[in-house]
Structure formats: C-alpha cells, structure tokens
Amino acid sequence: MQGKVEWTGETTLSGINSDGGKISLDWNSGPSPMQVVLQCAGACSLIDLIEGVKDREVRSAHVDLTSERADDYPRVFTKIHMSYQIDTDAPQKLLIRLIEKSHEKYCSVGNMLKHTTEITWSLNES
C-alpha cells in the first residue's frame, strides 16, 4: 500500500492513493485527520458486518461513533463507542457474532487503535 499527502493551501490537505483516489482534509473545519481515523474505524467494522451477512437483504446500515481523547499530547483516542444501526433480515445472533469477530480479528483499523483505546459497541436493529 502506498499513498501521498499533499498540502493544498491554508489548512487543507489532500490524501492521494496510489490508484488516484483522493480524500480532502481540513484541520480547521474538518474532517481533520483524527475525525478520518475515527470514521475509518467505523467504516472498517461496518464493511465486516455488511460483507458477513452475504446474501441477506440489507436495506440500510450505519454506525454512529462517539469518542474521547486524551487531554495531553499526543491526544490519542481513549474511548470509542460504535452504535451499529442495521435494517436487515439477518438474525440478531449472526449480527452480534459478526460485530464481535470484527472487533476481535478482522477490522485492522480498530485492532490498531485498541492498544490505546477502549472500544465498545452496541447493536440497534430497525
């Protein structure tokens, strides 16, 4: 994996993937790098959940994220809570197992963060 981060003026940056994909960051008005890390942790785990339900119908899905950060530098995340909202015909037992496996093994972003961060979650089905 390769990438590049380029300053684009004032308080803005552009993250560029080796395949040309881009994200824009603004450390004043957001999304800031830490906001992107938080959202990537949610995205990584939500992908595990969506991929895991396979052929089941998923009508909608998202994860609400709340976090706390250390008061002193480096201001790492100390707590993250992920509240999964999913409207699907998949059984709750399957959803719970998929979320647990995501946090235990599959979500690379969350597994990097869990060394400094208490990560909790809840599931709310529609």
Side-chain angles (χ1 to χ4, degrees):
M1 184 178 294
Q2 296 178 334
K4 174 173 118 177
V5 177
E6 182 177 79
W7 175 67
T8 54
E10 298 186 18
T11 60
T12 62
L13 304 167
S14 183
I16 305 159
N17 294 347
S18 57
D19 65 1
K22 291 183 180 183
I23 61 168
S24 297
L25 305 169
D26 186 326
W27 66 83
N28 261 351
S29 63
S32 70
M34 287 301 285
Q35 287 169 320
V36 172
V37 169
L38 179 64
Q39 291 168 346
C40 285
C44 183
S45 187
L46 189 59
I47 289 168
D48 292 338
L49 182 58
I50 299 299
E51 290 287 322
V53 296
K54 296 184 178 142
D55 299 326
R56 307 252 184 195
E57 181 183 5
V58 177
R59 292 170 286 281
S60 66
H62 70 272
V63 60
D64 292 315
L65 304 158
T66 56
S67 67
E68 294 179 21
R69 293 175 62 189
D71 291 330
D72 297 322
Y73 290 96
R75 297 205 50 231
V76 298
F77 289 114
T78 56
K79 293 182 182 181
I80 294 175
H81 182 76
M82 299 183 182
S83 178
Y84 296 84
Q85 317 287 323
I86 186 163
D87 183 4
T88 182
D89 61 359
Q92 185 180 36
K93 278 183 157 183
L94 173 61
L95 299 174
I96 290 170
R97 189 170 70 242
L98 290 169
I99 294 169
E100 287 173 343
K101 283 295 183 188
S102 176
H103 287 273
E104 290 170 10
K105 182 176 182 177
Y106 295 111
C107 177
S108 301
V109 179
N111 277 285
M112 282 191 301
L113 291 171
K114 73 181 182 182
H115 299 288
T116 60
T117 309
E118 175 189 342
I119 300 175
T120 58
W121 61 271
S122 58
L123 172 64
N124 301 301
E125 297 174 80
S126 299

